[in-house]
Amino acid sequence: MIKTRFAPSPTGYLHIGGVRTALFCWLYARRHGGHFVLRIEDTDRERSTQVAVDAILDGMAWLGLDPDEGPFYQSQRFDRYREVAARLLAEGKAYHCWCTREELDQMRAQQQARGERPGYDGRCRQRSEPRPGVTPVLRFRMPLEGDTVVDDQVRGRVVFDNREIDDLIILRGDGSPTYHFSVVVDDADMGITHVIRGDDHLNNTPRQIRMIEALGLPVPVYAHLPMILGPDGAKLSKRHGAVNVLEYREQGYLPEAVLNYLVRLGWAHGDQELFSIEEMTRLFDVTDVNASAARIDPDKLNWLNQQYIKAAPAARLAEGLRAQLAAREGCELAAGPPLEAVVEAFRERAVTLHEMAESAGFLYRSEFVLDEKAAAKHLKPALAPALQMLQQRLEGLADWRRETLHEALAAVAEACGLGFGKLGQPVRVAVTGGTVSPPIDVTLELVGRERVLARLAKALGRLL
């Protein structure tokens, strides 16, 4: 069975680079009927936090990237790492290193002074006697000659000279495992067949391959994904926008739009832009990923999100809109129209649910807010007779639907010698407080009889 894994470190939030890696792992496993494993690599006990763990799990759940196995936690597997390390030591494939930090710092300084690449020089490889007062670390014994070859699914054949790779630490002095070692043990124990991860890990791969071979285990297939750059071509950073993927949820993006956006960062299927999850699963192959870095494009994400908002079931969007409105001060959801009706009225123009909530806020605010600039421009004394006539007609309207409201507006506009828009915009300002809303008949239906009549009366009070 094909098995992939996503293994984030909970020292920070789940960012879009990590999400793309998780998505590619998830899609590859799904396409081949395999398993997707979620593993939390929390061996860095000083920097790992539960807040970050919760954010990772919440982000994965929001995106629908459900694991078949896990989450597993490396912090719960220390005994297993020590067991495997002891075996390597017993077989002479690892050794104790008694060098002090001061000695290592001096060694690197001398290497740099000679213009050499800094790295451990193996001075303890043949040492068997302990040093009093020094707690040793455990190092893996790398081969001193030859090459280590990575046949990468994205980067192609990459050859590393073993002489350029030093003996890395696998157990620290306190007995805790290092990242490189715990990853090897976990991948082996969990049966990972394909390691899909960022190309910042490529230089780690030869060491990990050698440890896997030393344990007599099958080497997984590797695929190292190119990095994601900002729109300016620089390395992605906080200044390029949302860092925590949950910020996209807070900004009103739909998870399927985010996934569609990320799958196109480095992968393509012809000229197709919109992909359902089913299509992604059927079409995606990691061997088709471009080896060049991809750039984020916020405009493309906005376009995709708008397409999904237009197509999504109103009931589903209503839940997201509810959360957006509930987070806004002064909004009373019980006082406004049904959320599904609001979604249908606003979805054509909304790029995000946050934008939709911003536009629809006038339907739920406990206090009516009138834009004075809009009022000065559109609520002119000359319109008072038309607004009075409209108010009277609406007061006698038995059927408060957009069709009958449109008829009432059209009749008043004609009777007063006005174009429909010449009446509609002042009415919009009077009942919404601003100049932008859905078609005026739809707007009046959503605002409701009592509030429309009260706001028209208030507007007339300014003009008479």
Side-chain angles (χ1 to χ4, degrees):
M1 177 187 291
I2 283 181
K3 270 193 180 184
T4 63
R5 48 79 160 173
F6 177 53
S9 174
T11 56
Y13 294 113
L14 181 60
H15 54 80
I16 61 171
V19 173
R20 185 188 65 166
T21 298
L23 173 62
F24 284 7
C25 292
W26 187 89
L27 289 174
Y28 195 81
R30 289 287 178 273
R31 178 183 180 182
H32 295 282
H35 275 196
F36 170 63
V37 177
L38 177 60
R39 187 170 74 221
I40 306 297
E41 299 192 336
D42 56 348
T43 55
D44 188 339
R45 290 177 288 187
E46 291 184 3
R47 297 175 59 217
S48 297
T49 67
Q50 188 59 46
V51 170
V53 171
D54 293 342
I56 291 169
L57 299 181
D58 195 8
M60 294 288 285
W62 175 61
L63 293 165
L65 299 179
D66 50 305
D68 300 291
E69 300 177 28
F72 299 106
Y73 295 86
Q74 287 186 332
S75 59
Q76 299 173 2
R77 291 173 46 80
F78 277 29
D79 288 345
R80 173 59 178 160
Y81 304 138
R82 292 172 184 136
E83 174 189 350
V84 177
R87 172 187 158 189
L88 289 175
L89 179 63
E91 294 175 355
K93 297 171 182 176
Y95 62 92
H96 283 125
C97 174
W98 302 87
C99 296
T100 65
R101 180 172 295 279
E102 292 74 21
E103 289 171 332
L104 294 175
D105 290 342
Q106 183 182 33
M107 176 190 69
R108 293 189 183 95
Q110 291 171 348
Q111 290 170 332
Q112 290 174 334
R114 295 192 297 266
E116 299 173 358
R117 179 179 177 179
Y120 184 66
D121 62 6
R123 62 183 62 182
C124 285
R125 281 175 74 101
Q126 307 305 322
R127 186 186 185 100
S128 57
E129 295 296 321
R131 291 177 66 179
V134 177
T135 302
V137 299
L138 194 64
R139 289 184 182 272
F140 177 71
R141 198 183 296 272
M142 278 291 295
L144 299 176
E145 298 178 345
D147 297 323
T148 300
V149 178
V150 181
D151 288 314
D152 194 85
Q153 296 288 290
V154 176
R155 299 289 297 272
R157 183 180 175 87
V158 186
V159 180
F160 294 89
D161 186 341
N162 292 334
R163 291 171 296 182
E164 299 293 322
I165 306 172
D166 61 356
D167 296 346
L168 81 158
I169 297 171
I170 60 176
L171 284 188
R172 302 182 183 92
D174 62 1
S176 63
T178 59
Y179 161 78
H180 297 289
F181 182 57
S182 54
V183 162
V184 165
V185 176
D186 288 342
D187 286 346
D189 287 355
M190 297 173 188
I192 303 302
T193 62
H194 290 70
V195 174
I196 302 171
R197 58 189 180 185
D199 63 4
D200 54 326
H201 290 287
L202 179 60
N203 288 336
N204 302 332
T205 306
R207 289 188 174 98
Q208 294 172 8
I209 287 176
R210 288 302 183 180
M211 283 189 279
I212 292 168
E213 291 174 340
L215 292 168
L217 300 169
V219 177
V221 176
Y222 289 95
H224 289 90
L225 309 175
M227 69 172 61
I228 300 175
L229 304 176
D232 55 0
K235 185 178 179 181
L236 197 61
S237 65
K238 292 181 180 180
R239 65 187 174 87
H240 292 116
V243 176
N244 180 1
V245 71
L246 293 176
E247 290 182 27
Y248 288 99
R249 180 175 67 181
E250 294 168 8
Q251 293 169 8
Y253 291 95
L254 303 184
E256 57 266 42
V258 174
L259 293 177
N260 193 153
Y261 173 66
L262 291 176
V263 81
R264 290 284 286 106
L265 289 179
W267 176 83
H269 181 72
D271 296 326
Q272 186 172 343
E273 292 289 353
L274 287 165
F275 293 87
S276 66
I277 295 296
E278 292 74 19
E279 287 176 311
M280 292 185 209
T281 303
R282 176 168 50 85
L283 298 172
F284 178 80
D285 195 317
V286 74
T287 59
D288 295 329
V289 173
N290 196 310
S292 301
R295 294 192 186 193
I296 61 171
D297 182 353
D299 291 338
K300 176 61 70 64
L301 174 58
N302 287 338
W303 179 83
L304 284 168
N305 203 61
Q306 191 169 33
Q307 306 314 304
Y308 279 98
I309 283 179
K310 289 179 180 179
R316 179 165 172 270
L317 293 180
E319 288 307 305
L321 180 60
R322 181 188 302 278
Q324 290 286 336
L325 288 167
R328 309 179 87 79
E329 188 175 350
C331 281
E332 297 179 359
L333 293 175
L339 288 167
E340 289 188 30
V342 176
V343 166
E344 294 292 4
F346 284 83
R347 71 158 84 216
E348 285 300 316
R349 294 184 179 182
V351 173
T352 66
L353 292 179
H354 182 275
E355 185 179 291
M356 186 184 292
E358 181 75 22
S359 300
F362 69 87
L363 294 168
Y364 297 95
R365 289 193 197 99
S366 54
E367 294 184 12
F368 180 67
V369 179
L370 180 64
D371 183 335
E372 289 296 335
K373 186 176 180 180
K377 181 177 180 180
H378 296 285
L379 294 179
K380 304 286 189 180
L383 286 167
L387 293 179
Q388 281 183 312
M389 185 182 297
L390 179 64
Q391 186 180 40
Q392 292 170 0
R393 191 175 185 99
L394 294 180
E395 285 175 345
L397 198 63
D399 187 6
W400 197 269
R401 290 182 299 114
R402 64 191 64 181
E403 294 82 5
T404 53
L405 290 165
H406 186 90
E407 291 172 3
L409 286 160
V412 171
E414 183 178 359
C416 296
L418 298 171
F420 190 89
K422 293 292 185 180
L423 177 62
Q425 190 67 344
V427 172
R428 176 176 284 108
V429 172
V431 300
T432 71
T435 58
V436 179
S437 78
I440 189 60
D441 49 2
V442 176
T443 299
L444 295 181
E445 182 184 51
L446 291 172
V447 173
R449 176 195 295 272
E450 291 184 9
R451 290 192 297 172
V452 166
L453 294 176
R455 292 175 185 180
L456 280 176
K458 189 172 182 179
L460 279 165
R462 296 171 58 100
L463 304 179
L464 298 176

